[in-house]
Amino acid sequence: MSSSTPANYVQSPEFPENYGDFRLISSDGVIFSFPRFLLAHISPVFKDMLEIGTGNPMGQQAELRLAENSTTLNQLLRLLDPAKKPLPIHMDTVEELLESARKYQVERVFEYWQEQMKVQDDDDEVVKIRHPMMSFLLGGRFGRDELTRLALRELIRAPDTSLYLSEKGFTVDHRVMTYVSRLRQERSEKLIARIHAYQSRALRQYCCEKDGLIMMRSATPSLTLELIKEPSWNTFEKNMDIWYGCSSTDVQHLQSAKVVFNRWKAKILEEEMALPEIPEYF
């Protein structure tokens, strides 16, 4: 430790004193020893900072004090160092990590973050997004259009609980909520219109049994509410038993319903998979 470094500073156990020839000191007094050449190779900003001092390329200064805290700096350096395993992305620290990546121009951090936010089942070709509201907001802020649109697609079809953030200090612009709510409303209205149109047709042509009529009519408000909460094909699938069974003795109706719903499925899923436009103010 140099004489200019306060004695109450501590060394990072992940990046001990002999790990590298250069010291990065976090805002909360943790020292990270890191290879100078690696900093300069990965970050053009660090490269410029390292060249300042003596006036000579890769000057002899031994340390830099940074504005980032030790949590952020530890995450950042683990992503810079190919010998280290990156830490999982945590929603309560990701904002600071991405801000540091933009500040030091480290594209690898953005790539890793986007990889971590995407999830794809083995039997499903559709890419889903973890933490869709947070991904949407941060994707828009940092100019990651693909992730932003994927997250917005997820927000339109996801349960309404996905619209709210639990992260402290992170607020959602009212324009974002207005935009997302409008797209969700448009989607739910289309789905509800299908239910009403089918119900009218089925009541006229197939549902002759009194019990079937009562079941279909009583189920419509419930399904409508569920589609408002989650405007997706998934909601249809979870609630279609009532329609399939509204007149179980009427084979013609049952077969007709299956044909109609299967036809709907392809169209609804096609609409769900379309990538929406990013709002202009992003």
Side-chain angles (χ1 to χ4, degrees):
M1 190 176 296
S2 70
S3 59
S4 62
T5 304
N8 61 340
Y9 281 18
V10 297
Q11 186 77 40
S12 165
E14 293 292 333
F15 297 91
E17 189 169 358
N18 61 351
Y19 192 79
D21 58 348
F22 194 81
R23 291 187 294 274
L24 297 169
I25 305 176
S26 68
S27 61
D28 51 349
V30 179
I31 302 171
F32 297 80
S33 296
F34 201 81
R36 181 189 299 258
F37 80 91
L38 196 54
L39 282 174
H41 176 70
I42 294 177
S43 166
V45 176
F46 275 129
K47 183 176 186 295
D48 290 342
M49 294 171 74
L50 290 167
E51 290 178 352
I52 297 174
T54 63
N56 298 320
M58 301 304 290
Q60 298 304 308
Q61 58 184 130
E63 63 188 36
L64 282 173
R65 288 177 169 82
L66 304 178
E68 288 72 29
N69 62 32
S70 56
T71 299
T72 300
L73 196 52
N74 184 51
Q75 290 177 308
L76 178 65
L77 294 179
R78 289 177 73 99
L79 281 163
L80 297 183
D81 189 345
K84 296 285 188 181
K85 182 179 179 180
L87 294 173
I89 295 292
H90 292 290
M91 290 301 100
D92 55 349
T93 59
V94 65
E95 184 180 10
E96 291 82 1
L97 176 62
L98 296 179
E99 287 289 1
S100 69
R102 175 163 62 181
K103 176 180 177 180
Y104 300 116
Q105 298 179 24
V106 182
E107 185 63 23
R108 167 63 183 141
V109 174
F110 289 107
E111 294 172 355
Y112 179 71
W113 166 58
Q114 292 176 99
E115 291 169 3
Q116 291 290 297
M117 291 303 100
K118 295 177 182 179
V119 57
Q120 187 169 1
D121 298 331
D122 293 337
D123 57 348
D124 189 354
E125 296 182 358
V126 178
V127 176
K128 299 178 182 178
I129 300 298
R130 296 185 177 95
H131 311 286
M133 179 57 83
M134 195 74 157
S135 296
F136 175 61
L137 295 172
L138 293 177
R141 181 192 302 183
F142 294 106
R144 308 292 145 166
D145 288 355
E146 180 192 14
L147 183 68
T148 303
R149 296 181 73 188
L150 287 170
L152 180 55
R153 181 177 73 181
E154 198 71 24
L155 286 172
I156 295 172
R157 65 180 183 174
D160 55 5
T161 53
S162 298
L163 302 180
Y164 306 102
L165 290 174
S166 59
E167 289 71 27
K168 294 181 180 179
F170 206 101
T171 58
V172 181
D173 190 303
H174 72 278
R175 295 174 299 174
V176 171
M177 291 300 296
T178 300
Y179 185 67
V180 174
S181 296
R182 178 171 63 81
L183 295 180
R184 287 174 62 89
Q185 180 180 350
E186 291 173 356
R187 179 70 55 77
S188 65
E189 287 176 350
K190 287 183 179 180
L191 298 176
I192 292 167
R194 289 181 179 274
I195 286 293
H196 289 161
Y198 174 72
Q199 178 181 254
S200 298
R201 176 172 173 266
L203 291 176
R204 288 196 307 268
Q205 298 182 22
Y206 301 114
C207 282
C208 301
E209 294 182 359
K210 182 179 179 180
D211 289 344
L213 294 172
I214 294 173
M215 289 175 68
M216 178 173 282
R217 286 171 174 166
S218 64
T220 298
S222 175
L223 178 56
T224 297
L225 179 59
E226 292 303 315
L227 285 169
I228 292 172
K229 293 179 179 179
E230 183 182 345
S232 69
W233 174 253
N234 183 52
T235 301
F236 267 109
E237 283 196 315
K238 290 186 295 186
N239 292 274
M240 275 303 164
D241 287 348
I242 294 297
W243 273 265
Y244 280 136
C246 77
S247 181
S248 58
T249 59
D250 190 333
V251 177
Q252 184 182 12
H253 163 251
L254 185 59
Q255 294 303 319
S256 175
K258 288 182 177 180
V259 170
V260 171
F261 296 151
N262 285 333
R263 190 183 306 133
W264 284 4
K265 180 177 182 179
K267 182 62 177 177
I268 291 171
L269 289 179
E270 179 183 351
E271 292 176 353
E272 285 187 21
M273 293 306 101
L275 290 176
E277 294 299 321
I278 301 173
E280 294 181 357
Y281 50 81
F282 259 34

